[in-house]
Amino acid sequence: MIGNNLQAVRERILRACAAAGRAPETVRLLAVSKTFGPEAVREAAAAGQQAFGENYLQEAVDKITALERQPGALLPRPEWHCIGPVQSNKTKLVAAHFDWLHTVDRLKIAQRVSEQRPAGLPPLQICLQVNIDGGASKSGVAPDEALALARAVAELPHLCLRGLMTLPEPSPDVEAQLQVHRRARDLFEAIRAAGLPASARFDTLSMGMSNDLEAAIQAGSTLVRVGTAIFGGRSYAPSP
Ligand SMILES: *Cc1c(COP(=O)(O)O)cnc(C)c1O
């Protein structure tokens, strides 16, 4: 079932790329496995999925370590993306267990994961979360502060700045989705054009989920984060 769902999502991505005149390999699929256990990750990995997104740190670390335990460790090792909010007292878990962090919205978090990245691991790949639609309760750097934050984060060691991430208010209206995603794309292009330190590899626009991935791809997303359409509906509490 997860395999069939994955195939259906891949086909949606292919159709959206074709409609937008984009090459399919310019959009990556991140499977958001939050609230689902290691077996769901195994099933998706068996169907060829390599990158997984998690929101809840303790749940994620339990899952990642369970999947690394021998025998039966997944090969190749999945790539783990932290896409949930991170408090500064939890940065060490992110630095130790993840490959990517999508939710940096202030310098302090980036400084901490930079200092805490264990020696021997590759740089942690970073996206800045931008509050693109002004949702008051939401995390994310304000769009007009994103360039300054990008420049500061790009100077830190043990990190590689990869791009921006957005999490707009859900809307059933495709035109409204497109408008917000285009604002994110314009900001992404503006930051690239403004110039960043050479250590940055600013190539990732992380936007689009189960309900708006077509609009996100049309607007220029390079990485869609899809949970429900792959794993099914979630109950809100993380699974024990
Ligand atoms: C849960 C979550 C997703 C996946 O959402 P779906 O609607 O289930 O596809 C994507 N991004 C973030 C940041 C999330 O928290």
Side-chain angles (χ1 to χ4, degrees):
M1 143 110 152
I2 288 175
N4 292 342
N5 291 346
L6 259 175
Q7 195 48 39
V9 170
R10 289 184 190 128
E11 282 163 17
R12 282 176 66 190
I13 293 171
L14 287 179
R15 279 197 299 273
C17 285
R22 298 181 55 192
E25 62 272 17
T26 61
V27 180
R28 285 191 80 193
L29 172 59
L30 182 68
V32 177
S33 45
K34 65 184 179 200
T35 79
F36 293 93
E39 284 316 310
V41 173
R42 280 186 191 286
E43 210 176 320
Q49 180 62 30
Q50 222 256 315
F52 294 88
E54 291 285 337
N55 285 57
Y56 310 107
L57 281 175
Q58 197 52 56
E59 182 208 346
V61 170
D62 291 347
K63 197 178 305 181
I64 293 167
T65 50
L67 285 164
E68 281 169 354
R69 220 168 284 145
Q70 300 287 347
L74 289 174
L75 286 173
R77 180 184 171 276
E79 184 179 279
W80 292 103
H81 293 233
C82 178
I83 61 172
V86 178
Q87 290 161 337
S88 54
N89 62 348
K90 297 284 171 57
T91 51
K92 205 166 178 177
L93 289 175
V94 177
H97 294 281
F98 284 88
D99 303 289
W100 285 66
L101 172 59
H102 289 228
T103 53
V104 168
D105 62 0
R106 53 196 196 278
L107 188 58
K108 183 180 173 197
I109 296 292
Q111 284 167 333
R112 290 180 64 92
V113 288
S114 170
E115 284 163 14
Q116 294 166 338
R117 185 69 166 168
L121 289 187
L124 186 64
Q125 310 293 303
I126 301 286
C127 290
L128 306 184
Q129 184 175 352
V130 181
N131 186 355
I132 198 69
D133 58 353
S137 64
K138 222 159 345 98
S139 34
V141 63
D144 60 0
E145 291 165 12
L147 175 60
L149 181 60
R151 286 184 166 150
V153 169
E155 298 288 0
L156 296 171
H158 316 300
L159 306 180
C160 181
L161 178 64
R162 295 298 295 269
L164 302 181
M165 177 272 213
T166 61
L167 183 57
E169 290 297 330
S171 163
D173 174 30
V174 175
E175 267 312 309
Q177 294 172 0
L178 256 178
Q179 270 190 23
V180 174
H181 290 320
R182 284 190 175 127
R183 285 216 297 276
R185 188 265 326 274
D186 290 347
L187 179 64
F188 178 68
E189 297 296 345
I191 291 174
R192 269 220 290 225
L196 291 169
S199 58
R201 196 176 140 204
F202 206 73
D203 62 357
T204 300
L205 187 50
S206 164
M207 64 183 191
M209 314 200 291
S210 292
N211 288 327
D212 64 348
L213 71 87
E214 283 83 2
I217 288 171
Q218 190 173 336
S221 170
T222 71
L223 185 155
V224 290
R225 309 179 307 264
V226 179
T228 310
I230 296 172
F231 295 106
R234 289 179 293 271
S235 46
Y236 275 87
S239 57

